[in-house]
Amino acid sequence: DTAVSQTPKYLVTQMGNDKSIKCEQNLGHDTMYWYKQDSKKFLKIMFSYNNKELIINETVPNRFSPKSPDKAHLNLHINSLELGDSAVYFCASSQFENEQFFGPGTRLTVL
Amino acid sequence: GENVEQHPSTLSVQEGDSAVIKCTYSDSASNYFPWYKQELGKRPQLIIDIRSNVGEKKDQRIAVTLNKTAKHFSLHITETQPEDSAVYFCAARISYDKVIFGPGTSLSVIP
């Protein structure tokens, strides 16, 4: 059973389009995150959600919006995609102050 | 601001030798320090972690040390093997919902 899953695994799209990435965790964790990993491999936190409440909103463009329909899901919606949005996006979850479990990643390519 | 530095950015060692990666953090409130290994095309996965009330922790060939006064922590891998080749990330948990990652170290173990 996959602990943290993401769909799709690959996403290729044109500039200006709107796209969504879905994330689900079956670990019962109460905090979920979205990270962006650029070509230099740096992992930058974008958002975290705790019990459906946004806790952190880092300095990311407001074209990015996280949506959490319930405790086990945290989706990422991106409007008006730009070339610089191309990266690998990782979802993660954790419980209390313990380790984070990462999803397999979604490789987004904006043409 | 909150920051985690990591050195070196790249490291090459001969198989069987030891590898050491060092990190420093800025926020004295940090209380949990995980290390993640990311193989090419895969997700980051926890390999070892240490909490602020412990100075050293070991798990087979991997050990981590923490100096809270100096805000330093290090990863030690002994008897390196080719399958240890990966990118390693240190991180510091600043709060319940915020983890800051270092920029990563690309380790190559030469057979």
Side-chain angles (χ1 to χ4, degrees):
Chain A
D1 289 336
T2 303
V4 182
S5 59
Q6 291 177 233
T7 55
K9 188 170 177 62
Y10 299 97
L11 185 52
V12 181
T13 189
Q14 299 287 333
M15 280 177 55
N17 285 349
D18 302 339
K19 290 293 178 185
S20 293
I21 307 172
K22 295 185 177 181
C23 178
E24 177 181 0
Q25 54 98 2
N26 62 7
L27 298 167
H29 289 169
D30 58 10
T31 306
M32 296 184 71
Y33 312 78
W34 276 106
Y35 285 87
K36 179 182 181 180
Q37 186 171 47
D38 59 25
S39 57
K40 294 185 179 180
K41 302 296 184 183
F42 191 73
L43 275 165
K44 176 185 175 183
I45 187 166
M46 301 177 71
F47 304 101
S48 73
Y49 251 75
N50 177 263
N51 287 327
K52 298 178 64 175
E53 181 182 355
L54 180 65
I55 303 298
I56 299 173
N57 187 346
E58 294 293 321
T59 55
V60 298
N62 57 14
R63 298 182 295 103
F64 291 79
S65 56
K67 298 190 190 307
S68 181
D70 56 57
K71 184 177 167 180
H73 297 84
L74 181 64
N75 303 324
L76 183 65
H77 190 75
I78 315 170
N79 290 326
S80 303
L81 278 156
E82 301 178 356
L83 292 175
D85 298 332
S86 295
V88 179
Y89 292 83
F90 285 100
C91 174
S93 72
S94 69
Q95 181 73 1
F96 303 124
E97 295 184 340
N98 296 322
E99 71 173 287
Q100 294 172 303
F101 290 80
F102 284 82
T106 296
R107 182 174 294 278
L108 172 64
T109 302
V110 182
L111 303 175
Chain B
E2 302 146 346
N3 187 43
V4 175
E5 296 183 356
Q6 183 172 348
H7 299 281
S9 57
T10 59
L11 179 59
S12 290
V13 298
Q14 292 288 332
E15 182 177 358
D17 288 349
S18 295
V20 180
I21 302 171
K22 298 183 178 182
C23 290
T24 60
Y25 59 97
S26 59
D27 193 321
S28 57
S30 302
N31 58 10
Y32 173 68
F33 306 90
W35 286 87
Y36 288 84
K37 175 183 180 182
Q38 186 179 25
E39 297 177 352
L40 190 63
K42 302 284 184 65
R43 73 189 79 189
Q45 291 193 293
L46 183 80
I47 55 170
I48 195 167
D49 56 11
I50 191 167
R51 297 193 182 273
S52 57
N53 58 347
V54 175
E56 184 174 357
K57 184 176 179 180
K58 189 174 181 180
D59 183 5
Q60 299 183 335
R61 298 185 297 109
I62 296 173
V64 58
T65 58
L66 171 65
N67 182 331
K68 279 212 72 178
T69 303
K71 298 181 186 175
H72 291 171
F73 58 116
S74 300
L75 178 72
H76 304 251
I77 306 174
T78 58
E79 300 173 23
T80 53
Q81 302 167 3
E83 51 266 37
D84 294 329
S85 296
V87 178
Y88 291 81
F89 293 95
C90 63
R93 182 178 281 280
I94 294 171
S95 63
Y96 183 97
D97 42 52
K98 190 169 186 177
V99 178
I100 303 296
F101 281 79
T105 296
S106 179
L107 173 64
S108 298
V109 180
I110 304 166

